[in-house]
Amino acid sequence: MKIAIAGTGYVGFSNALLLAQHNEVVALDIIPEKVEMLQNKRSPIEDKEIEEFLLRDDLNFRATLDNQEAYEGAEYVIISTPTDYDEETNFFNTKSIEYVIADVLSINPDAVMVIKSTIPVGYVKGVREKFGTDNIIFSPEFLREGRALYDNLYPSRIIVGERSERAKVFADLLAQGAIKKEIDILFTDTTEAEAIKLFANTYLAMRVAFFNELDSYAETHGLDTKQIIDGVSLDPRIGAHYNNPSFGYGGYCLPKDTKQLLANYNDVPNNMIGAIVEANRTRKDFIAQSILKKNPEVVGIYRLVMKSGSDNFRSSAIQGIMKRIKAKGIEVVIYEPVLEDETFFHSRVITNLEEFKKMSDVIVANRHDSILDDVKEKIYTRDLFGND
């Protein structure tokens, strides 16, 4: 079966490699340098399993800039283009999805389009009416940055927002490529599938916010956060996962998904959903104040990336901390090997780690790294468990 993938970020690319084990997969992107990398079996994103998969010779995969080459003859088109949250409209910017839909309909109107991008609740229903086609379904993804292919090979669940034969075929394609054999597969109505994605990510954000507020309380009152979390997490209903304090939730999904869900609640009474969004701002305020109390002249930011094994720092919480510190007139310098520019939002990027350590009065690290052990007295982190 030929399958086209529109968009080669971590969602699209990991799905492409998963499906290329048993199908002809053509990935379409608009960035020539990215397509060239893919054709040369080089990953544009940092992901251990993706990098290993690219070395295999049995994948039927290619990348292209040509819409016609990608969509012609494809039975399924997976849409995984970016949908950033628009603060002015209070909705995801879905223009890239609609560009793809229009292209597919002009080239191959019989193809089933499966949206993997995150979308507002009710979007598919509206876009079907707008384009006059029922060949659009939604299948939410539940992938971690830096472990996207792993999470496709060992999925927590597969959900498709339609109860039909074509939905079953698509779910079977995903399951066929997985290593995990006992996979929970759920077929729902379209709008319910959209809601599942936003509520699932908002729950994760709530858990992050809860343990962060626990940590804020403990730090304020001079208590040992780790002891408290260890005791709380022994309750099997709570568990010892996703409980490591941080500077706030960030990354591709949680900030925009929580805001989108809150926007969807505009005519529904709520307290908790709004509180989850607000809690993240409060946590960044608290962290910034804790750093400023140390009276530094220069604050060093060690890594902008969200987590180990990832090269993404879009919407990372530490950027919010930087803005708050700089607003107080404190110089901020950055050590981030991923950055090639000399500055980042008007802060100097220091490429020499030893120079960075020496010039920083306080080194702020969302996640601790043993490479900083020689300057432990300078480190400010809330990482207690050494995991994400």
Side-chain angles (χ1 to χ4, degrees), residues 159-341:
I159 296 175
V160 185
E162 189 172 272
R163 289 178 284 187
S164 64
E165 182 58 30
R166 65 186 185 181
K168 183 179 184 303
V169 170
F170 181 72
D172 288 345
L173 288 169
L174 298 178
Q176 181 188 36
I179 295 173
K180 181 180 177 182
K181 293 308 171 192
E182 297 298 321
I183 304 169
D184 290 320
I185 299 177
L186 178 66
F187 299 98
T188 71
D189 293 334
T190 295
T191 306
E192 281 74 6
E194 294 163 347
I196 287 167
K197 174 63 188 288
L198 295 186
F199 275 104
N201 274 349
T202 301
Y203 178 85
L204 295 177
M206 179 184 70
R207 190 171 170 103
V208 172
F210 175 83
F211 284 105
N212 280 344
E213 291 209 350
L214 184 160
D215 178 56
S216 294
Y217 179 88
E219 191 174 10
T220 299
H221 291 280
L223 305 177
D224 187 319
T225 300
K226 187 175 184 301
Q227 290 183 35
I228 300 171
I229 292 178
D230 283 341
V232 168
S233 299
L234 286 173
D235 187 326
R237 295 169 299 177
I238 298 170
H241 58 279
Y242 223 62
N243 63 354
N244 193 16
S246 67
F247 296 158
Y249 58 79
Y252 284 114
C253 294
L254 300 193
K256 68 177 187 177
D257 289 7
T258 51
K259 290 175 183 176
Q260 178 62 72
L261 186 60
L262 180 59
N264 280 122
Y265 262 86
N266 66 336
D267 58 350
V268 180
N270 79 94
N271 296 109
M272 185 179 293
I273 306 301
I276 292 167
V277 174
E278 191 59 39
N280 214 37
R281 298 189 191 105
T282 302
R283 175 62 169 177
K284 292 173 189 176
D285 290 341
F286 177 83
I287 294 295
Q289 285 301 318
S290 298
I291 295 165
L292 290 169
K293 283 177 183 176
K294 298 178 180 294
N295 297 315
E297 292 184 11
V298 179
V299 171
I301 303 296
Y302 178 76
R303 305 301 308 268
L304 296 170
V305 295
M306 284 297 304
K307 56 183 77 173
S308 58
S310 170
D311 57 0
N312 167 50
F313 48 82
R314 183 169 72 176
S315 299
S316 61
I318 205 163
Q319 292 186 53
I321 310 302
M322 285 173 55
K323 290 175 185 175
R324 288 160 171 80
I325 293 170
K326 289 167 71 173
K328 298 297 182 181
I330 308 296
E331 182 182 3
V332 171
V333 296
I334 301 164
Y335 178 78
E336 177 50 78
V338 172
L339 283 175
E340 296 179 359
D341 297 329

